[in-house]
Amino acid sequence: MDRDGTLTEEVGYVNHPNRLRVLPQSAEAIRRLNAAGIAAVVVTNQAGIARGYFSGEVLAAVNAALVSQLKDGGAHLDGVYVCPHHPTEGEPPYRLVCDCRKPKPGLLLRAASELGLDLGRSTLVGDKASDLVAARAVGARSVLVLTGYGLGEWEYRRSTFPAPPDHVAEDLLGAVDWVIEGLRP
Ligand SMILES: [Mg+2]
Ligand SMILES: [Zn+2]
């Protein structure tokens, strides 16, 4: 799943752990994945690193706060994968035409390789068209959530989507329930 706008509130660049707001149903959503034996993995673009808005240490602290708040809610993340790059902003090494900034699929490929996931049986949940494209690129299904940018993306921009979602859900919990229902025989 995507982080900002999907798992957490879309608040712009999260340059301090105190700006992180886990969405109300997110811990329940991750708990349901945990209970179903489905890996719960975050894949997030954080170009604020390349742009110099915050450091790698701050990013690590923000993601640690995310893991900790979910843990307090009884929910476990199996992995957090970050693209810190931007193709044209900032300075090397983060100013880079990388293979991991969504819509490119590099984060998904890395997660699958390191965690032993079958992307053809995976679903990417996100709030932007770029999330859906990344899913399509690896043969995964996709769900657009209407949190974060999702409502505007769906209401005003869906005719421009290069890869339509397989499902649209109110939020991450709705997306997770759709995934789990799809597993029933
Ligand atoms: Mg997002
Ligand atoms: Zn990257």
Side-chain angles (χ1 to χ4, degrees):
M1 74 208 75
D2 171 54
R3 192 189 82 181
D4 300 337
T6 301
L7 188 54
T8 63
E9 209 172 298
E10 173 56 66
V11 297
Y13 292 99
V14 184
N15 64 351
H16 191 287
N18 285 357
R19 270 171 69 74
L20 190 79
R21 296 277 179 274
V22 177
L23 286 167
Q25 311 245 61
S26 289
E28 175 65 21
I30 304 301
R31 278 202 304 271
R32 289 188 193 179
L33 290 176
N34 297 156
I38 299 170
V41 182
V42 174
V43 285
T44 177
N45 288 355
Q46 295 295 330
I49 298 273
R51 292 173 180 272
Y53 295 165
F54 50 86
S55 67
E57 287 74 20
V58 169
L59 174 70
V62 169
N63 284 340
L66 173 63
V67 166
S68 162
Q69 288 179 34
L70 288 172
K71 192 176 172 196
D72 290 344
H76 169 75
L77 287 179
D78 292 280
V80 179
Y81 291 84
V82 178
C83 168
H85 307 114
H86 192 282
T88 57
E89 296 292 322
E91 304 294 332
Y94 295 123
R95 187 184 72 212
L96 177 72
V97 179
C98 66
D99 65 2
C100 54
R101 179 174 164 81
K102 295 176 290 181
K104 291 187 178 169
L107 293 182
L108 304 180
L109 296 171
R110 198 191 311 161
S113 160
E114 291 185 10
L115 302 174
L117 308 176
D118 180 351
L119 290 170
R121 295 178 61 219
S122 298
T123 303
L124 181 65
V125 184
D127 69 321
K128 283 187 180 172
S130 52
D131 294 306
L132 311 178
V133 172
R136 168 75 63 88
V138 298
R141 292 183 301 175
S142 66
V143 179
L144 182 76
V145 285
L146 298 179
T147 51
Y149 288 107
L151 182 60
E153 290 274 84
W154 185 241
E155 282 199 3
Y156 303 128
R157 295 191 69 244
R158 67 184 178 219
S159 64
T160 71
F161 283 7
D166 293 294
H167 183 66
V168 178
E170 281 300 312
D171 60 11
L172 183 62
L173 184 59
V176 163
D177 282 345
W178 180 77
V179 167
I180 291 174
E181 277 164 27
L183 298 175
R184 296 216 181 94

